Amino acid sequence: MSTEGLNTEGKTDTPLRGDYSRMREDYTIDQGWESYTEAEHALWRQLFTRQSKLLQRYAAPEFIAGIGKLDAVDGVPHFGRASEILSKATGWTLVAVPGLIPEDVFFTHLSERRFPVTNWLRKPEEMDYLVEPDVFHDFFGHVPLLMHPVFADYMQAYGKGGLRAMKFGTLENLARLYWYMVEFGLINTKDGIRAYGAGMLSSAGESQYCIDSDEPNRIGFDLERVMRTRYRIDDYQATYFVLDSYEQLFDATSQDFAPIYERLKALPEFAPDEVLPTDKVFTRGKGRQRAA
Ligand code: PHE
Ligand code: CO
């Protein structure tokens, strides 16, 4: 699960694609692993192989370590078996959902260390782009870092923070943190900047773009800066934020956000491609030269 495809009110523009007719109250369903066809398993392997080749160069070491332990090479993974591996590592489990789910339900799952994973796989003609997250995005993109103790704790804290932000009416600020630091996060390593975000690492194009392209800005993580920055949902990101460590993200977000939300109400937002004099700039992009 993620928030791609959701507009700022958290609603989708188009009807959702999954089967929402047989779910439980918490929006979970049986994964129905036996129902994947051989063609779907083959498509998964194709996606998995393509992304795996990119990881050495583009992905953060913690992501590479995580995906390697999840036994997801052979076909669409079985969520129950993956949950056994994951729960031993960090206490998280995976639950199957039909697709995007309401924010409060999503936050409640995260706050209880359950990660909702869409059960359906994209079609072959959607290898490169799809509007709603599918099982490849949710599993390949998100689950590897849930194997990392600090990031695992961060995701639970984010879930609790989401329930709080709903009460404050400040979801827009909080959602930017998910977008920029969970879906599209970069991290600085001894070998250079690497990607850990699910949005880029489940996409062949953006895995390369976020590291190699001279178009986007790469700016050091700053909590309030991120929470004030609007984002693009229909193209590669204009700006990526770079962590020094996952601890930096966890520590910055462990303070009480109530006063921050209050302060942000009176402050202007930033455009997706804006660079500020106060930014720690790793690379200043020349901007998008053509549409994706
Ligand atoms: N500390 C935040 C709050 O007080 C909760 C939070 C934690 C939000 C981690 C995002 C990430 O609301
Ligand atoms: Co996602």
Side-chain angles (χ1 to χ4, degrees):
M1 242 319 284
S2 73
T3 48
E4 288 119 294
L6 296 184
N7 64 23
T8 48
E9 285 87 49
K11 300 190 182 74
T12 52
D13 307 330
T14 46
L16 294 171
R17 165 161 164 182
D19 177 9
Y20 289 77
S21 68
R22 270 180 287 268
M23 63 193 185
R24 306 173 190 99
E25 215 167 327
D26 63 356
Y27 279 73
T28 64
I29 55 175
D30 286 331
Q31 183 190 3
W33 188 81
E34 318 68 37
S35 305
Y36 296 116
T37 63
E38 194 36 57
E40 287 175 318
H41 287 303
L43 181 61
W44 172 281
R45 287 193 294 273
Q46 209 184 326
L47 287 161
F48 190 98
T49 305
R50 180 173 73 169
Q51 286 313 112
S52 296
K53 286 182 187 146
L54 297 172
L55 295 182
Q56 267 327 312
R57 169 147 172 65
Y58 298 111
E62 297 78 13
F63 185 98
I64 298 173
I67 193 67
K69 290 179 190 139
L70 284 165
D71 192 19
V73 191
D74 296 335
V76 183
H78 185 284
F79 297 171
R81 290 198 285 273
S83 290
E84 279 178 38
I85 301 169
L86 184 58
S87 64
K88 275 180 201 141
T90 58
W92 277 76
T93 56
L94 306 180
V95 290
V97 289
L100 295 170
I101 59 176
E103 313 266 30
D104 60 323
V105 180
F106 180 57
F107 294 143
T108 300
H109 281 303
L110 294 187
S111 72
E112 295 169 7
R113 286 175 106 85
R114 287 187 302 271
F115 195 75
V117 179
T118 301
N119 76 333
W120 53 266
L121 182 66
R122 68 193 67 186
K123 300 195 182 81
E125 59 271 25
E126 298 168 308
M127 278 288 285
D128 296 317
Y129 185 76
L130 82 171
V131 180
E132 290 170 58
D134 71 339
V135 60
F136 187 75
H137 167 83
D138 284 344
F139 191 105
F140 187 95
H142 286 284
V143 183
L145 271 197
L146 289 173
M147 296 284 288
H148 187 273
V150 176
F151 199 84
D153 286 351
Y154 172 74
M155 290 295 281
Q156 176 177 29
Y158 182 90
K160 293 181 184 168
L163 294 169
R164 265 191 111 205
M166 289 186 82
K167 292 194 193 112
F168 294 134
T170 52
L171 259 189
E172 205 175 4
N173 292 126
L174 189 82
R176 291 173 182 157
L177 208 48
Y178 195 89
W179 187 267
Y180 281 117
M181 306 319 298
V182 177
E183 294 293 350
F184 294 103
L186 297 178
I187 188 161
N188 201 11
T189 78
K190 60 176 175 12
D191 301 320
I193 292 176
R194 293 288 184 266
Y196 70 85
M200 67 256 282
L201 290 177
S202 59
S203 149
E206 197 154 1
S207 290
Q208 305 172 61
Y209 182 86
C210 71
I211 301 293
D212 287 343
S213 174
D214 56 5
E215 292 178 355
N217 305 310
R218 298 177 187 85
I219 294 173
F221 169 75
D222 175 287
L223 179 66
E224 294 183 31
R225 162 72 159 103
V226 172
M227 291 173 85
R228 290 171 64 183
T229 309
R230 297 196 310 271
Y231 54 79
R232 291 188 184 154
I233 63 165
D234 56 353
D235 198 356
Y236 296 150
Q237 298 307 298
T239 298
Y240 300 94
F241 292 98
V242 184
L243 289 178
D244 295 327
S245 65
Y246 305 106
E247 285 82 358
Q248 181 194 20
L249 179 62
F250 185 86
D251 292 347
T253 52
S254 54
Q255 62 183 305
D256 180 3
F257 278 18
I260 299 181
Y261 291 138
E262 210 42 58
R263 187 161 61 239
L264 294 191
K265 277 181 193 162
L267 295 175
E269 302 181 330
F270 304 122
D273 61 354
E274 219 166 318
V275 178
L276 310 173
T278 46
D279 284 338
K280 178 186 175 184
V281 178
F282 285 87
T283 49
R284 191 191 181 107
K286 64 178 190 191
R288 199 80 169 108
Q289 307 295 306
R290 61 184 161 73

